[in-house]
Amino acid sequence: QDARVVAGDLPAVMGDPQHLSGLFHHLVSALLERRRPGGRQTIRFDAERDGEHWHLTVTADNTDIDFGDGETSFPLLPAGNSPEGGRSSTLSLALCRKIVQMHGGNMRAETTPDGHSRLHLLLPAGVA
């Protein structure tokens, strides 16, 4: 699939293991589903402490999602070029947002000036 996932140093986050693993699964799936055909894609995970929260960023190049500069509602987009041919990547992102909210955080997305898709997840550092 000409895609790779790269992760910087990520923090240990306490929370429901099934929900948190689903969060990462849906993040990667949504970005892969909207990968432009014929191109290579890199998805990068990074995190830094932001006061009482962990600020996780997920950046993907070569996607056909345009979030503008701060999408938070993740409305349904037309089906992308995924092999499944009809699954909505924004449904996956809406699930991610719900998981983040259930853990006391928030999530938003943007399209960077260079055309990359970037998701921002804020999770409380002391999530129990």
Side-chain angles (χ1 to χ4, degrees), residues 91-115:
L91 179 57
S92 290
L93 294 177
L95 287 170
C96 291
R97 185 188 67 210
K98 185 63 176 173
I99 293 168
V100 169
Q101 289 173 341
M102 287 171 41
H103 285 82
N106 64 55
M107 179 175 150
R108 69 179 176 84
E110 67 176 321
T111 300
T112 64
D114 56 3

Side-chain angles (χ1 to χ4, degrees), residues 49-115:
R49 188 71 180 251
D50 183 2
E52 301 274 322
H53 295 84
W54 285 109
H55 179 187
L56 288 96
T57 56
V58 184
T59 306
D61 60 4
N62 201 29
T63 65
D64 66 356
I65 303 173
D66 184 2
F67 290 115
D69 61 356
E71 180 61 56
T72 57
S73 61
F74 306 109
L76 295 179
L77 297 171
N81 298 308
S82 67
E84 294 84 12
R87 290 185 55 199
S88 172
S89 58
T90 19
L91 179 57
S92 290
L93 294 177
L95 287 170
C96 291
R97 185 188 67 210
K98 185 63 176 173
I99 293 168
V100 169
Q101 289 173 341
M102 287 171 41
H103 285 82
N106 64 55
M107 179 175 150
R108 69 179 176 84
E110 67 176 321
T111 300
T112 64
D114 56 3

Side-chain angles (χ1 to χ4, degrees), residues 12-67:
V13 176
M14 293 176 53
D16 182 281
Q18 185 175 0
H19 287 157
L20 293 173
S21 65
L23 172 66
F24 285 90
H25 167 80
H26 287 296
L27 287 169
V28 171
S29 293
L31 294 167
L32 287 173
E33 287 171 11
R34 297 304 292 216
R35 182 174 65 93
R36 289 186 188 105
R40 185 170 182 85
Q41 184 180 50
T42 300
I43 300 170
R44 178 160 183 86
F45 286 84
D46 290 294
E48 63 183 38
R49 188 71 180 251
D50 183 2
E52 301 274 322
H53 295 84
W54 285 109
H55 179 187
L56 288 96
T57 56
V58 184
T59 306
D61 60 4
N62 201 29
T63 65
D64 66 356
I65 303 173
D66 184 2
F67 290 115

